[in-house]
PDB file of all heavy atoms in Angstrom:
ATOM      1  N   THR A1204      26.321  39.454  37.821  1.00 71.00           N
ATOM      2  CA  THR A1204      25.835  40.420  38.897  1.00 71.00           C
ATOM      3  C   THR A1204      24.988  39.575  39.923  1.00 71.00           C
ATOM      4  O   THR A1204      24.102  38.842  39.558  1.00 71.00           O
ATOM      5  CB  THR A1204      24.956  41.491  38.297  1.00 71.00           C
ATOM      6  OG1 THR A1204      23.894  40.813  37.584  1.00 71.00           O
ATOM      7  CG2 THR A1204      25.775  42.328  37.254  1.00 71.00           C
ATOM      8  N   PRO A1205      25.375  39.810  41.111  1.00 66.00           N
ATOM      9  CA  PRO A1205      24.647  39.052  42.201  1.00 66.00           C
ATOM     10  C   PRO A1205      23.167  39.670  42.284  1.00 66.00           C
ATOM     11  O   PRO A1205      22.966  40.890  41.872  1.00 66.00           O
ATOM     12  CB  PRO A1205      25.316  39.345  43.568  1.00 66.00           C
ATOM     13  CG  PRO A1205      26.124  40.548  43.220  1.00 66.00           C
ATOM     14  CD  PRO A1205      26.379  40.636  41.771  1.00 66.00           C
ATOM     15  N   PRO A1206      22.210  38.929  42.737  1.00 64.00           N
ATOM     16  CA  PRO A1206      20.822  39.462  42.830  1.00 64.00           C
ATOM     17  C   PRO A1206      20.833  40.757  43.881  1.00 64.00           C
ATOM     18  O   PRO A1206      21.568  40.710  44.739  1.00 64.00           O
ATOM     19  CB  PRO A1206      20.018  38.293  43.453  1.00 64.00           C
ATOM     20  CG  PRO A1206      20.952  37.367  44.000  1.00 64.00           C
ATOM     21  CD  PRO A1206      22.311  37.617  43.273  1.00 64.00           C
ATOM     22  N   ARG A1207      19.898  41.591  43.572  1.00 72.00           N
ATOM     23  CA  ARG A1207      19.897  42.753  44.488  1.00 72.00           C
ATOM     24  C   ARG A1207      19.202  42.430  45.793  1.00 72.00           C
ATOM     25  O   ARG A1207      18.254  41.698  45.826  1.00 72.00           O
ATOM     26  CB  ARG A1207      19.005  43.810  43.858  1.00 72.00           C
ATOM     27  CG  ARG A1207      19.680  44.281  42.552  1.00 72.00           C
ATOM     28  CD  ARG A1207      18.991  45.404  41.890  1.00 72.00           C
ATOM     29  NE  ARG A1207      19.249  46.568  42.700  1.00 72.00           N
ATOM     30  CZ  ARG A1207      18.460  47.753  42.718  1.00 72.00           C
ATOM     31  NH1 ARG A1207      17.326  47.679  41.992  1.00 72.00           N
ATOM     32  NH2 ARG A1207      18.767  48.695  43.447  1.00 72.00           N
ATOM     33  N   ARG A1208      19.914  42.849  46.869  1.00 75.00           N
ATOM     34  CA  ARG A1208      19.282  42.527  48.205  1.00 75.00           C
ATOM     35  C   ARG A1208      18.261  43.632  48.570  1.00 75.00           C
ATOM     36  O   ARG A1208      18.429  44.780  48.201  1.00 75.00           O
ATOM     37  CB  ARG A1208      20.446  42.586  49.221  1.00 75.00           C
ATOM     38  CG  ARG A1208      21.429  41.457  49.028  1.00 75.00           C
ATOM     39  CD  ARG A1208      22.552  41.480  49.978  1.00 75.00           C
ATOM     40  NE  ARG A1208      22.128  40.817  51.120  1.00 75.00           N
ATOM     41  CZ  ARG A1208      22.730  40.662  52.229  1.00 75.00           C
ATOM     42  NH1 ARG A1208      23.884  41.222  52.302  1.00 75.00           N
ATOM     43  NH2 ARG A1208      22.281  39.909  53.207  1.00 75.00           N
ATOM     44  N   ARG A1209      17.334  43.253  49.282  1.00 77.00           N
ATOM     45  CA  ARG A1209      16.275  44.154  49.684  1.00 77.00           C
ATOM     46  C   ARG A1209      16.809  44.936  50.827  1.00 77.00           C
ATOM     47  O   ARG A1209      17.312  44.366  51.805  1.00 77.00           O
ATOM     48  CB  ARG A1209      14.962  43.323  50.010  1.00 77.00           C
ATOM     49  CG  ARG A1209      13.929  44.218  50.434  1.00 77.00           C
ATOM     50  CD  ARG A1209      12.602  43.469  50.708  1.00 77.00           C
ATOM     51  NE  ARG A1209      11.629  44.320  51.214  1.00 77.00           N
ATOM     52  CZ  ARG A1209      10.622  44.020  51.968  1.00 77.00           C
ATOM     53  NH1 ARG A1209      10.520  42.804  52.197  1.00 77.00           N
ATOM     54  NH2 ARG A1209       9.776  44.886  52.352  1.00 77.00           N
ATOM     55  N   ARG A1210      16.477  46.121  50.874  1.00 81.00           N
ATOM     56  CA  ARG A1210      16.925  46.986  52.051  1.00 81.00           C
ATOM     57  C   ARG A1210      15.667  47.012  52.930  1.00 81.00           C
ATOM     58  O   ARG A1210      14.561  47.105  52.572  1.00 81.00           O
ATOM     59  CB  ARG A1210      17.237  48.408  51.524  1.00 81.00           C
ATOM     60  CG  ARG A1210      18.469  48.419  50.577  1.00 81.00           C
ATOM     61  CD  ARG A1210      19.147  49.733  50.865  1.00 81.00           C
ATOM     62  NE  ARG A1210      20.391  49.684  50.092  1.00 81.00           N
ATOM     63  CZ  ARG A1210      21.496  49.552  50.586  1.00 81.00           C
ATOM     64  NH1 ARG A1210      21.665  49.470  52.004  1.00 81.00           N
ATOM     65  NH2 ARG A1210      22.661  49.670  49.867  1.00 81.00           N
TER      66      ARG A1210
END
Side-chain angles (χ1 to χ4, degrees):
T1204 59
R1207 296 187 75 203
R1208 297 182 84 183
R1209 181 175 175 206
R1210 296 212 176 253

